[in-house]
Amino acid sequence: MAGFRLRVPAFVDIAMVAHPAITLIIDLSDGDGFVYSTHTRQGRGSVVVGLLPGDLRASGRAGDCLQIRLEPVVAAAVLGGSVMEFNGAVESLEDVWGHDAGRIEDSLRAAGSWDERFAIAVDIIGRRMAERPRVDAEVAHTWRRTLTSRGRVRVDGLAEEAGWSRKRLSARFRSQLGITPKRAGRLVRFDHAAHLLAAGLAPATVASESGYVDQSHLHHEVRAFTGLTPAAVAAAPWLAIDDVAWPASSPRPNRWVPQPALL
């Protein structure tokens, strides 16, 4: 979870890079706020971003927003059903949460500090998780093993760990998380590679450390998930804030001013 305050005189247009999480972006701007667009649709205000958003871009001039990333196994409860419908899509938060979306925005906007906003958001998410059923334990285990292995455990091995057949695991995983275990592994591996690129490593080194066959394989996967080149992903502002919002080191200056918190 992180809060962002954009205060720049110029119009900002940022490509949003695929991430192994469902992302809630709650627009707390007083004015026109941010615009989110893909090649098929455009929206304004608070949105839910699926695992594979494609060519999603965010643009605007000034305002506050709260970004919350949810593991799919958590999002299935928080968003009130299977996350399958969100994959590859960007949906208005109002379409997902109905009138609750407006009330939540008003509550967060009226809060006196970012810490208070974080506390409100944690309470909302905690209550929703408690009220709704979770995904199968085997599915949750498979997802988290995929994350911790950085996408490098084969599906047969994951099925064996779950005690299911490969066919059953793939069917249950896809029905509850909206993505196959194999595709999930590719997404997690891409995310690891993208952050290595953003850290300044050479593509050949990134390919080797991320488990790709070679540099051309890396290039193909980056194109598949973002439509960008590895060089463009390396410079993506969307990745540049991750070590601030989810800190692994001291924050480095940038024009997005985040107030960090963890969920």
Side-chain angles (χ1 to χ4, degrees):
M1 177 187 296
F4 297 94
R5 174 163 294 147
L6 179 61
R7 293 290 184 268
V8 294
F11 186 81
V12 173
D13 182 31
I14 297 174
M16 298 168 65
V17 177
H19 187 273
I22 306 297
T23 303
L24 277 63
I25 300 176
I26 303 177
D27 191 344
L28 305 175
S29 305
D30 292 326
D32 292 335
F34 300 97
V35 174
Y36 305 96
S37 60
T38 67
H39 70 284
T40 59
R41 66 176 297 178
Q42 184 177 85
R44 186 184 298 275
S46 301
V47 293
V48 179
V49 181
L51 289 174
L52 306 169
D55 61 346
L56 178 63
R57 305 191 71 85
S59 56
R61 292 184 185 276
D64 291 0
C65 71
L66 178 65
Q67 175 183 287
I68 305 171
R69 283 180 174 168
L70 303 173
E71 284 189 351
V73 295
V74 175
V78 172
L79 299 176
S82 171
V83 298
M84 187 171 185
E85 62 192 276
F86 302 116
N87 290 336
V90 180
E91 300 291 341
S92 163
L93 187 62
E94 184 176 10
D95 289 343
V96 178
W97 276 351
H99 294 305
D100 282 350
R103 288 193 288 269
I104 290 168
E105 287 174 353
D106 290 343
S107 178
L108 291 168
R109 195 174 286 115
S113 68
W114 279 106
D115 284 343
E116 186 178 347
R117 286 173 172 174
F118 296 148
I120 292 169
V122 168
D123 179 64
I124 291 166
I125 291 169
R127 283 190 283 107
R128 284 182 167 268
M129 287 179 63
E131 294 168 357
R132 292 170 172 80
R134 308 292 182 90
V135 302
D136 292 337
E138 294 84 354
V139 170
H141 171 79
T142 299
W143 173 263
R144 289 181 177 128
R145 275 286 285 139
T146 301
L147 284 179
T148 57
S149 69
R150 293 175 173 166
R152 299 179 73 168
V153 177
R154 297 178 65 86
V155 178
D156 287 340
L158 293 170
E160 184 176 350
E161 289 183 17
W164 286 352
S165 68
R166 175 176 177 140
K167 182 177 180 180
R168 176 172 172 77
L169 176 63
S170 294
R172 296 293 291 172
F173 196 94
R174 190 174 193 279
S175 69
Q176 295 185 17
L177 302 188
I179 189 172
T180 65
K182 183 175 181 179
R183 180 80 162 160
R186 287 179 60 199
L187 174 60
V188 170
R189 183 166 54 172
F190 157 77
D191 179 68
H192 176 59
H195 283 85
L196 291 179
L197 289 168
L201 273 67
T205 302
V206 172
S208 176
E209 294 195 9
S210 302
Y212 292 107
V213 174
D214 53 27
Q215 189 171 334
S216 64
H217 186 197
L218 168 67
H219 192 282
H220 176 273
E221 289 293 272
V222 170
R223 278 285 189 188
F225 282 108
T226 67
L228 304 172
T229 65
V233 167
W238 193 246
L239 295 176
I241 56 89
D242 272 8
D243 64 343
V244 181
W246 295 268
S249 60
S250 299
R252 60 175 182 261
N254 53 58
R255 292 193 297 179
W256 288 81
V257 183
Q259 311 294 322
L262 295 176
L263 177 61

